[in-house]
Amino acid sequence: SSCGPGTRTRAVWCASGDDSNCLATKPATQEVCSSTDGCGWSVGAFGDCSNTCGTGTRTRTVSCLDAQGGARPAIECGA
């Protein structure tokens, strides 16, 4: 599986075996595609609280990565 944009290919031929026998324009053999199967979230640990007493905020790093650990747009991880 993969993550991000790519190209999908297919074989296209005339049923007779001779493309000159087919009158219609030959369909494309390639198209641009995008897959999210290999994308996943990388979630870091929460940091310290921003307040020592009462309500505060803790933050963490969340990134969308491909199978090789490269950063991808969050939309590819379903954000």
XYZ file of all heavy atoms in Angstrom:
539
model
N 0.843 -1.186 0.000
C 0.000 0.000 0.000
C 0.882 1.240 0.000
O 2.066 1.177 0.272
C -0.943 -0.021 1.187
O -0.267 0.136 2.396
N 0.286 2.359 -0.314
C 1.056 3.593 -0.416
C 0.283 4.754 0.163
O -0.862 4.624 0.561
C 1.418 3.849 -1.873
O 0.229 4.029 -2.626
N 0.937 5.899 0.179
C 0.327 7.100 0.723
C 0.646 8.258 -0.205
O 1.808 8.533 -0.473
C 0.893 7.360 2.119
S 0.320 8.887 2.880
N -0.375 8.918 -0.697
C -0.171 10.093 -1.520
C -0.451 9.861 -2.990
O -1.020 8.851 -3.383
N -0.014 10.812 -3.819
C -0.312 10.742 -5.243
C 0.528 9.708 -5.974
O 1.625 9.370 -5.535
C 0.008 12.155 -5.733
C 1.025 12.665 -4.765
C 0.687 12.031 -3.441
N -0.001 9.230 -7.074
C 0.713 8.264 -7.898
C 0.057 8.154 -9.260
O -0.758 8.984 -9.640
N 0.411 7.125 -9.990
C -0.146 6.873 -11.316
C -0.628 5.435 -11.382
O 0.068 4.521 -10.967
C 0.934 7.096 -12.405
O 1.459 8.404 -12.261
C 0.352 6.938 -13.786
N -1.842 5.265 -11.882
C -2.413 3.932 -12.080
C -2.363 3.632 -13.573
O -2.683 4.497 -14.391
C -3.848 3.937 -11.556
C -4.544 2.637 -11.647
C -5.872 2.602 -10.943
N -6.605 3.853 -10.970
C -7.542 4.185 -10.079
N -7.831 3.366 -9.106
N -8.172 5.318 -10.171
N -1.944 2.422 -13.929
C -1.852 2.051 -15.342
C -2.709 0.825 -15.629
O -3.020 0.047 -14.721
C -0.392 1.746 -15.745
O 0.083 0.661 -14.964
C 0.499 2.949 -15.551
N -3.058 0.671 -16.888
C -3.822 -0.493 -17.330
C -3.458 -0.794 -18.774
O -3.001 0.076 -19.524
C -5.326 -0.241 -17.215
C -5.807 0.868 -18.127
C -7.278 1.101 -18.008
N -7.679 2.236 -18.874
C -8.893 2.682 -18.941
N -9.854 2.139 -18.226
N -9.186 3.701 -19.742
N -3.661 -2.024 -19.181
C -3.437 -2.421 -20.572
C -4.703 -2.126 -21.372
O -5.810 -2.382 -20.910
C -3.099 -3.903 -20.650
N -4.533 -1.550 -22.566
C -5.662 -1.253 -23.451
C -5.309 -1.774 -24.845
O -4.236 -1.460 -25.370
C -5.933 0.275 -23.514
C -7.065 0.574 -24.480
C -6.239 0.831 -22.133
N -6.183 -2.594 -25.425
C -5.927 -3.129 -26.760
C -7.234 -3.340 -27.494
O -8.300 -3.436 -26.881
C -5.137 -4.437 -26.684
C -5.876 -5.547 -25.992
C -6.705 -6.457 -26.566
C -5.890 -5.829 -24.597
N -7.227 -7.304 -25.606
C -6.733 -6.935 -24.378
C -5.271 -5.264 -23.488
C -6.975 -7.472 -23.124
C -5.515 -5.804 -22.239
C -6.349 -6.896 -22.070
N -7.130 -3.421 -28.769
C -8.275 -3.714 -29.630
C -8.506 -5.228 -29.588
O -7.555 -6.008 -29.658
C -7.985 -3.241 -31.056
S -9.403 -3.400 -32.171
N -9.751 -5.632 -29.460
C -10.077 -7.057 -29.332
C -9.554 -7.894 -30.500
O -9.229 -9.072 -30.331
C -11.578 -7.240 -29.180
N -9.433 -7.295 -31.680
C -8.938 -8.046 -32.845
C -7.425 -8.245 -32.791
O -6.882 -9.039 -33.548
C -9.292 -7.311 -34.136
O -8.499 -6.138 -34.277
N -6.771 -7.508 -31.930
C -5.323 -7.575 -31.852
C -4.633 -6.541 -32.727
O -3.419 -6.384 -32.679
N -5.397 -5.805 -33.533
C -4.858 -4.777 -34.424
C -5.577 -3.466 -34.124
O -6.765 -3.323 -34.432
C -5.075 -5.202 -35.883
C -4.487 -4.216 -36.879
O -4.034 -3.128 -36.468
O -4.495 -4.545 -38.081
N -4.873 -2.511 -33.517
C -5.493 -1.242 -33.129
C -6.141 -0.506 -34.298
O -7.089 0.258 -34.105
C -4.465 -0.324 -32.455
C -4.135 -0.748 -31.030
O -4.790 -1.675 -30.514
O -3.227 -0.138 -30.424
N -5.683 -0.739 -35.528
C -6.270 -0.048 -36.686
C -7.696 -0.541 -36.973
O -8.443 0.110 -37.699
C -5.386 -0.223 -37.922
O -5.340 -1.574 -38.335
N -8.092 -1.689 -36.408
C -9.456 -2.204 -36.585
C -10.463 -1.541 -35.655
O -11.665 -1.696 -35.851
C -9.495 -3.713 -36.347
C -8.774 -4.481 -37.426
O -8.651 -4.016 -38.555
N -8.276 -5.657 -37.082
N -9.997 -0.824 -34.650
C -10.890 -0.170 -33.695
C -11.024 1.301 -34.085
O -10.024 2.028 -34.162
C -10.347 -0.303 -32.275
S -10.424 -1.990 -31.666
N -12.251 1.731 -34.352
C -12.498 3.083 -34.855
C -12.494 4.136 -33.748
O -12.159 5.288 -34.001
C -13.819 3.119 -35.616
C -13.896 2.163 -36.822
C -15.272 2.237 -37.464
C -12.813 2.481 -37.833
N -12.887 3.785 -32.574
C -12.962 4.763 -31.476
C -11.557 5.139 -31.011
O -10.593 4.404 -31.215
C -13.755 4.177 -30.319
N -11.461 6.301 -30.383
C -10.192 6.745 -29.805
C -9.777 5.769 -28.717
O -10.604 5.371 -27.881
C -10.339 8.158 -29.215
O -10.773 9.034 -30.248
C -9.032 8.656 -28.631
N -8.521 5.394 -28.726
C -8.003 4.451 -27.739
C -8.073 5.085 -26.342
O -7.601 6.207 -26.139
C -6.562 4.088 -28.077
C -5.995 2.981 -27.224
C -4.611 2.583 -27.718
C -4.054 1.411 -26.948
N -2.771 0.946 -27.496
N -8.660 4.403 -25.359
C -8.729 4.946 -23.992
C -7.334 5.111 -23.389
O -6.379 4.445 -23.791
C -9.521 3.877 -23.220
C -10.234 3.089 -24.269
C -9.354 3.123 -25.484
N -7.237 5.993 -22.429
C -5.964 6.266 -21.758
C -5.445 5.011 -21.055
O -6.224 4.205 -20.543
C -6.138 7.381 -20.743
N -4.136 4.858 -21.042
C -3.514 3.726 -20.355
C -3.042 4.108 -18.954
O -2.671 3.242 -18.177
C -2.316 3.189 -21.152
O -1.373 4.232 -21.337
C -2.762 2.652 -22.501
N -3.044 5.414 -18.629
C -2.615 5.894 -17.309
C -3.586 6.935 -16.788
O -4.220 7.643 -17.573
C -1.261 6.592 -17.365
C -0.100 5.769 -17.649
C 1.194 6.569 -17.462
O 1.206 7.769 -17.277
N 2.302 5.864 -17.498
N -3.650 7.036 -15.468
C -4.388 8.131 -14.838
C -3.754 8.441 -13.494
O -3.138 7.572 -12.859
C -5.870 7.796 -14.671
C -6.187 6.724 -13.669
C -7.681 6.450 -13.546
O -8.494 7.125 -14.191
O -8.031 5.542 -12.783
N -3.904 9.673 -13.073
C -3.402 10.102 -11.770
C -4.343 9.557 -10.705
O -5.561 9.513 -10.889
C -3.338 11.649 -11.700
C -2.943 12.117 -10.323
C -2.359 12.171 -12.730
N -3.789 9.103 -9.595
C -4.597 8.586 -8.493
C -3.948 8.991 -7.165
O -2.842 9.518 -7.137
C -4.736 7.070 -8.582
S -3.173 6.189 -8.513
N -4.643 8.735 -6.092
C -4.115 9.022 -4.761
C -4.609 7.948 -3.805
O -5.766 7.541 -3.856
C -4.582 10.390 -4.282
O -3.990 10.713 -3.048
N -3.720 7.475 -2.951
C -4.061 6.432 -1.993
C -3.765 6.920 -0.580
O -2.797 7.637 -0.350
C -3.242 5.172 -2.265
O -3.488 4.207 -1.272
N -4.606 6.522 0.355
C -4.366 6.856 1.760
C -4.127 5.609 2.595
O -3.968 5.693 3.810
C -5.560 7.638 2.351
O -6.746 6.842 2.214
C -5.758 8.963 1.642
N -4.067 4.418 1.952
C -3.913 3.160 2.682
C -2.642 3.106 3.531
O -2.650 2.549 4.616
C -3.917 1.971 1.721
C -5.251 1.782 1.035
O -6.256 2.322 1.534
O -5.289 1.110 0.006
N -1.560 3.664 3.044
C -0.282 3.597 3.760
C -0.002 4.785 4.649
O 1.091 4.900 5.198
N -0.970 5.688 4.793
C -0.787 6.880 5.635
C -1.196 6.572 7.071
O -2.095 5.771 7.310
C -1.653 8.025 5.128
S -1.413 8.451 3.405
N -0.541 7.219 8.017
C -0.909 7.010 9.413
C -0.493 8.178 10.286
O 0.375 8.978 9.926
N -1.124 8.276 11.425
C -0.829 9.347 12.380
C 0.354 8.972 13.256
O 0.466 7.841 13.711
C -2.034 9.628 13.279
C -3.203 10.225 12.556
C -4.371 9.615 12.275
C -3.297 11.543 12.031
N -5.195 10.481 11.596
C -4.560 11.669 11.439
C -2.425 12.634 11.997
C -4.991 12.842 10.831
C -2.852 13.807 11.384
C -4.117 13.900 10.814
N 1.221 9.921 13.487
C 2.297 9.798 14.471
C 1.955 10.772 15.591
O 1.827 11.973 15.354
C 3.644 10.168 13.841
O 4.641 10.226 14.844
N 1.789 10.244 16.801
C 1.330 11.070 17.923
C 2.395 11.085 19.004
O 2.794 10.039 19.508
C 0.000 10.509 18.483
C -0.499 11.357 19.631
C -1.038 10.412 17.378
N 2.849 12.288 19.353
C 3.848 12.448 20.405
C 3.208 12.473 21.781
O 1.987 12.521 21.928
N 4.040 12.468 22.788
C 3.571 12.534 24.175
C 3.109 13.950 24.505
O 3.595 14.929 23.934
C 4.695 12.128 25.121
N 2.170 14.053 25.437
C 1.737 15.367 25.895
C 2.859 16.033 26.677
O 3.577 15.381 27.440
C 0.496 15.252 26.795
C -0.788 15.159 26.033
C -1.461 13.959 25.940
C -1.330 16.271 25.413
C -2.656 13.863 25.240
C -2.518 16.189 24.717
C -3.192 14.980 24.628
N 2.994 17.337 26.476
C 3.967 18.130 27.229
C 3.414 18.500 28.595
O 2.317 18.085 28.992
N 4.166 19.306 29.319
C 3.751 19.765 30.640
C 2.538 20.685 30.543
O 2.309 21.323 29.511
C 4.896 20.510 31.331
C 6.070 19.608 31.649
O 5.864 18.388 31.788
O 7.193 20.135 31.752
N 1.813 20.777 31.626
C 0.662 21.659 31.698
C 1.146 23.115 31.704
O 2.178 23.445 32.295
C -0.132 21.357 32.972
S -1.697 22.268 33.062
N 0.392 23.978 31.042
C 0.756 25.387 30.949
C 0.474 26.151 32.243
O 0.882 27.294 32.392
C -0.016 26.049 29.803
O -1.412 26.015 30.074
N -0.171 25.500 33.198
C -0.520 26.156 34.458
C -0.125 25.241 35.612
O -0.306 24.032 35.531
C -2.027 26.441 34.490
C -2.419 27.438 35.533
O -1.604 27.844 36.361
N -3.681 27.843 35.506
N 0.422 25.802 36.667
C 0.819 24.984 37.822
C -0.325 24.779 38.798
O -0.248 23.916 39.673
C 2.014 25.618 38.553
O 1.665 26.949 38.948
C 3.237 25.640 37.659
N -1.392 25.558 38.671
C -2.548 25.410 39.557
C -3.808 25.765 38.777
O -3.893 26.831 38.180
C -2.396 26.335 40.774
S -3.753 26.198 41.961
N -4.759 24.853 38.732
C -6.003 25.109 38.011
C -5.939 24.606 36.574
O -5.074 23.825 36.194
N -6.856 25.110 35.785
C -6.978 24.668 34.400
C -5.837 25.202 33.546
O -5.462 26.362 33.651
C -8.322 25.159 33.807
O -9.382 24.652 34.619
C -8.495 24.666 32.383
N -5.301 24.338 32.713
C -4.225 24.720 31.804
C -4.344 23.956 30.506
O -5.355 23.310 30.227
N -3.300 24.005 29.738
C -3.277 23.339 28.440
C -2.035 22.478 28.325
O -0.949 22.883 28.727
C -3.260 24.388 27.302
O -4.389 25.243 27.439
C -3.308 23.718 25.943
N -2.208 21.278 27.778
C -1.080 20.403 27.440
C -1.127 20.188 25.932
O -2.186 19.955 25.363
C -1.210 19.066 28.160
C -1.059 19.186 29.666
C -1.277 17.876 30.357
N -0.373 16.856 29.806
C -0.342 15.605 30.211
N -1.152 15.182 31.164
N 0.497 14.740 29.677
N -0.001 20.248 25.268
C 0.037 20.072 23.822
C 0.903 18.874 23.460
O 1.722 18.409 24.262
C 0.588 21.329 23.117
O 1.908 21.581 23.579
C -0.285 22.537 23.391
N 0.717 18.383 22.241
C 1.532 17.299 21.705
C 1.606 17.458 20.196
O 0.767 18.110 19.574
C 0.966 15.935 22.066
C -0.403 15.654 21.471
C -0.911 14.309 21.889
N -2.277 14.093 21.402
C -2.958 13.003 21.612
N -2.409 12.010 22.301
N -4.164 12.863 21.156
N 2.605 16.863 19.599
C 2.776 16.893 18.152
C 2.018 15.726 17.529
O 2.145 14.590 17.981
C 4.270 16.795 17.785
O 4.960 17.881 18.406
C 4.468 16.844 16.294
N 1.236 16.025 16.507
C 0.497 15.011 15.754
C 0.799 15.260 14.279
O 0.575 16.357 13.779
C -1.017 15.094 16.022
C -1.776 14.066 15.193
C -1.316 14.920 17.505
N 1.339 14.251 13.596
C 1.729 14.393 12.199
C 1.188 13.245 11.371
O 1.073 12.124 11.853
C 3.256 14.388 12.075
O 3.829 15.391 12.870
N 0.906 13.528 10.113
C 0.520 12.498 9.146
C 1.789 12.063 8.427
O 2.528 12.885 7.892
C -0.487 13.066 8.157
S -1.002 11.897 6.880
N 2.051 10.742 8.420
C 3.273 10.206 7.818
C 2.961 9.096 6.823
O 1.993 8.354 6.996
C 4.206 9.645 8.891
C 4.642 10.583 10.007
C 5.505 9.835 11.010
C 5.383 11.782 9.448
N 3.839 8.968 5.803
C 3.728 7.831 4.900
C 4.508 6.654 5.487
O 5.099 6.765 6.565
C 4.198 8.182 3.483
C 5.659 8.607 3.404
O 6.464 8.243 4.285
O 6.005 9.310 2.430
N 4.509 5.521 4.807
C 5.128 4.295 5.323
C 6.629 4.438 5.560
O 7.206 3.729 6.367
C 4.866 3.127 4.373
N 7.274 5.386 4.873
C 8.713 5.601 5.052
C 9.016 6.674 6.098
O 10.164 7.019 6.323
C 9.370 6.007 3.711
C 9.411 4.910 2.668
C 8.045 4.652 2.038
O 7.287 5.571 1.783
N 7.718 3.389 1.814
N 7.984 7.219 6.741
C 8.177 8.236 7.769
C 8.210 9.653 7.247
O 8.502 10.591 7.987
N 7.899 9.843 5.970
C 7.870 11.182 5.381
C 6.575 11.900 5.715
O 5.512 11.291 5.792
N 6.658 13.202 5.931
C 5.471 14.002 6.253
C 4.530 14.096 5.052
O 4.975 14.231 3.913
C 5.903 15.398 6.687
N 3.252 13.965 5.321
C 2.206 14.061 4.300
C 1.162 15.068 4.784
O 1.039 15.298 5.983
C 1.526 12.704 4.085
C 2.431 11.569 3.680
C 3.175 11.769 2.399
N 2.258 12.131 1.316
C 2.665 12.566 0.139
N 3.946 12.721 -0.111
N 1.794 12.860 -0.794
N 0.348 15.643 3.878
C -0.741 16.512 4.304
C -1.726 15.754 5.187
O -2.025 14.594 4.948
C -1.391 16.935 2.983
C -0.349 16.723 1.936
C 0.454 15.549 2.418
N -2.239 16.426 6.202
C -3.155 15.789 7.158
C -4.380 15.173 6.479
O -4.886 14.150 6.930
C -3.589 16.801 8.216
N -4.814 15.740 5.372
C -5.979 15.210 4.665
C -5.757 13.773 4.203
O -6.690 12.980 4.114
C -6.366 16.124 3.466
C -7.729 15.754 2.898
C -5.306 16.085 2.376
C -8.879 16.155 3.756
N -4.505 13.388 3.967
C -4.214 12.024 3.533
C -4.324 11.012 4.675
O -4.351 9.816 4.451
C -2.839 11.963 2.863
C -2.819 12.719 1.546
C -1.496 12.691 0.837
O -0.578 11.968 1.252
O -1.376 13.418 -0.168
N -4.384 11.494 5.914
C -4.610 10.617 7.074
C -6.056 10.705 7.561
O -6.386 10.200 8.622
C -3.650 10.996 8.196
S -1.965 10.431 7.925
N -6.895 11.369 6.799
C -8.316 11.429 7.150
C -8.703 12.601 8.012
O -9.763 12.592 8.628
N -7.886 13.643 8.081
C -8.220 14.831 8.883
C -9.239 15.681 8.170
O -9.336 15.715 6.994
C -6.976 15.650 9.155
